[in-house]
Amino acid sequence: MHIIVVGCGLAGLTAAIALARAGHKVEIVEAAPQIAYVGAGIQVSPNSSRVLRKLGVDKYIEKYCTEPVDLRMMRWENGKKLVECPLKKPSHDEYGSPYWHVHRADFHRGLLECALELGIVTHLDNRIVDIDAEAPSLTSHTGRRFTADLIVASDGLNSKCREVVVGHASPPIPTGQMVYRVTIPARKLKGIPGLEEMITTPRNNHWIGPYGTILSYLLEGINETLVNLVMTIDVNGRMPDGVNQRLSSADAARAAFKGWDPRVDQMLEHAEHVLEWRLFTHHEIPSWAHSSKKLIIIGDACHAMTPYLAQGAAMGIEDAAILGGLLEKYPTMDTIGKVITLYERLRIKRTARVAEASIDSRYFTQMPDGPKQEERDAWLVEHPGIWKGHINIRSRKEFLDWLFGYDAYKALNEAIQAEEGGDSAGKGTSMGVHSHVAEIISEA
Ligand SMILES: Cc1cc2nc3c(=O)[nH]c(=O)nc-3n(C[C@H](O)[C@H](O)[C@H](O)COP(=O)(O)OP(=O)(O)OC[C@H]3O[C@@H](n4cnc5c(N)ncnc54)[C@H](O)[C@@H]3O)c2cc1C
């Protein structure tokens, strides 16, 4: 089939690669006049690295990835260690695929290189302003018209295609929080007491505090080692209404996090790039395809979520694997109804649960100081590592098995087999999940 993918973000590029590998002719239409890389680092958990490896994208990005040993949670005001949850070892030993930290520029460039090698044509500077889902066709702001057999829309948080699928405006919802996204060359922090480990050991350093958190991790990018900071806090008038992203300054971030671990302040003295970013989420929608069956949405366009679990792009990458696999098995428009049914069955509930878990994680990590926080901290100190029933979702074995252990290709094969064999038992949302975990998750 001839398929047009709208949007050249992480989900769109992965989908384009998956669809090309499935034997389709793929073109991408992108609004931006050039591919720009916003934000700095991104975490790629085993559920998404597995897909990237299967699609052969690892060849283009692995050299830029670091593997964090663990997630270390610390008290906001002094960096006192509360708990460490291993990441590297279980990712390899239990989930069979690595946990990566990578600069978005390197990730994006790797995906793009892979897409270009597969012969995927990219039309930049074509913002889609009109969508005819029945034809299907797209018209860009330049007046250019694109037609195809099928449109896969990955146009992100403010997706126009989502509106067409839903049939009405469906804007993202502000969460009341924002992040300062900061990068600092690690060399500038050399010799500062207390920072040595942070600039040499790959790990997630996570300060948890009242109504905010700070995450730092290392990026071994193409140029030099960077410290990547994601500093989350209530907006509280810090950004003007209507502004969702803008350049900021180290001073603004320092003022917002006054009183936190003094090492953060020391790091911010050397910050080179600071961006302010308002955080949004989406309501779950019941369908991810237009009734014409010729327009399907993926990625943030369907399920933009809060970043507290670092799973937004991972879910888009899983969507891409599933949709690509379905369109390999059922490669014509005659069977598109089956593709859509299975795609929605496999994806909608899983992404909604991840989005919910991400919100739970916000409230767990951002408790105001007081008796509940003291109880939480005491519990964390006594329970390092990964345990069944752990109060911290980041350490809860059954949740991690469900999240990181998810094999999109296994889920896909099981769903196809169930469909072909008419096995209604396979039609739940837990496919690809170990059965005991599936029970726990479906009870949640
Ligand atoms: C602070 C923060 C930290 C995060 N950290 C992580 C993390 O560690 N791990 C993780 O997995 N996720 C993370 N995420 C989430 C992740 O960044 C997003 O989920 C992901 O980038 C979304 O990819 P996408 O391709 O769906 O959308 P986008 O990346 O938004 O791409 C959409 C593309 O569509 C184009 N487009 C839009 N409208 C049109 C149009 N009308 N016509 C043509 N083109 C159009 C845009 O220009 C863009 O290129 C984080 C998010 C935030 C805010």
Side-chain angles (χ1 to χ4, degrees), residues 6-13 29-32 35 41-45 48 99 104 108 126-129 154-161 179 181 215 217 230 277-279 298-301 303-307 309-317:
V6 184
C8 207
L10 298 175
L13 277 167
V29 180
E30 163 60 46
I35 303 295
I42 185 152
Q43 306 190 56
V44 181
S45 51
S48 52
Y99 196 112
R104 281 174 190 254
H108 218 133
N126 277 283
R127 170 167 297 281
I128 297 307
V129 291
S154 177
D155 49 346
L157 183 71
N158 295 298
S159 169
K160 238 183 128 46
C161 296
V179 294
R181 304 175 94 169
L215 177 67
Y217 57 86
V230 184
W277 203 279
R278 196 185 291 273
L279 296 178
I298 73 162
D300 271 16
H303 51 61
M305 60 182 69
T306 57
L309 276 184
Q311 282 295 317
M315 289 300 114
I317 289 166

Side-chain angles (χ1 to χ4, degrees), residues 13-14 17-18 21 48-63 100 107 109-115 117-118 317 321 409:
L13 277 167
T14 311
I17 291 167
R21 289 220 186 277
S48 52
S49 69
R50 179 177 292 114
V51 171
L52 297 167
R53 284 170 18 136
K54 178 94 176 177
L55 291 175
V57 176
D58 52 330
K59 183 175 118 194
Y60 301 86
I61 60 169
E62 203 165 14
K63 52 185 174 285
W100 287 324
F107 190 5
R109 196 181 38 247
L111 283 165
L112 201 56
E113 272 174 33
C114 181
E117 271 186 30
L118 287 167
I317 289 166
Y409 295 97

Side-chain angles (χ1 to χ4, degrees), residues 234-292:
D234 284 355
V235 178
N236 252 346
R238 290 184 177 91
M239 288 181 86
D241 286 350
V243 174
N244 295 333
Q245 283 137 35
R246 63 175 182 175
L247 277 177
S248 184
S249 66
D251 285 347
R254 291 170 81 179
F257 286 84
K258 199 164 183 278
W260 285 56
D261 185 343
R263 290 177 300 171
V264 174
D265 200 57
Q266 282 176 309
M267 285 198 267
L268 287 172
E269 268 182 42
H270 302 277
E272 285 193 345
H273 296 283
V274 185
L275 279 175
E276 286 177 13
W277 203 279
R278 196 185 291 273
L279 296 178
F280 289 89
T281 186
H282 266 151
H283 280 316
E284 183 183 336
I285 48 172
S287 176
W288 288 4
H290 186 263
S291 53
S292 67

Side-chain angles (χ1 to χ4, degrees), residues 47 50 90 94-95 350 386 388 393 395-407 432-434 436-438 440-441:
N47 47 318
R50 179 177 292 114
E94 301 197 28
Y95 306 127
R350 175 166 167 86
I386 295 172
K388 192 157 185 268
I393 204 164
S395 285
R396 193 177 304 151
K397 174 93 173 86
E398 61 275 31
F399 178 73
L400 297 180
D401 284 353
W402 178 79
L403 183 64
F404 294 164
Y406 183 80
D407 181 339
V433 182
H434 305 300
H436 69 285
V437 177
I440 293 159
I441 298 293

Side-chain angles (χ1 to χ4, degrees), residues 122-229:
T122 305
H123 306 277
L124 299 179
D125 204 7
N126 277 283
R127 170 167 297 281
I128 297 307
V129 291
D130 191 52
I131 300 140
D132 178 346
E134 300 288 343
S137 72
L138 304 162
T139 310
S140 81
H141 74 291
T142 63
R144 187 163 172 190
R145 190 160 172 268
F146 296 88
T147 55
D149 297 312
L150 177 69
I151 295 167
V152 173
S154 177
D155 49 346
L157 183 71
N158 295 298
S159 169
K160 238 183 128 46
C161 296
R162 175 186 171 95
E163 283 186 22
V164 174
V165 166
V166 179
H168 53 78
S170 181
I173 304 146
T175 62
Q177 291 216 294
M178 61 179 285
V179 294
Y180 294 92
R181 304 175 94 169
V182 184
T183 49
I184 309 165
R187 67 184 149 77
K188 291 192 167 183
L189 305 177
K190 265 195 187 138
I192 300 179
L195 289 183
E196 185 57 28
E197 209 188 341
M198 257 176 227
I199 61 170
T200 51
T201 305
R203 70 155 34 102
N204 272 335
N205 297 291
H206 199 201
W207 288 262
I208 61 175
Y211 311 110
T213 59
I214 300 173
L215 177 67
S216 99
Y217 57 86
L218 293 177
L219 295 174
E220 297 293 349
I222 200 163
N223 295 319
E224 61 174 340
T225 307
L226 296 173
V227 175
N228 181 63
L229 292 178

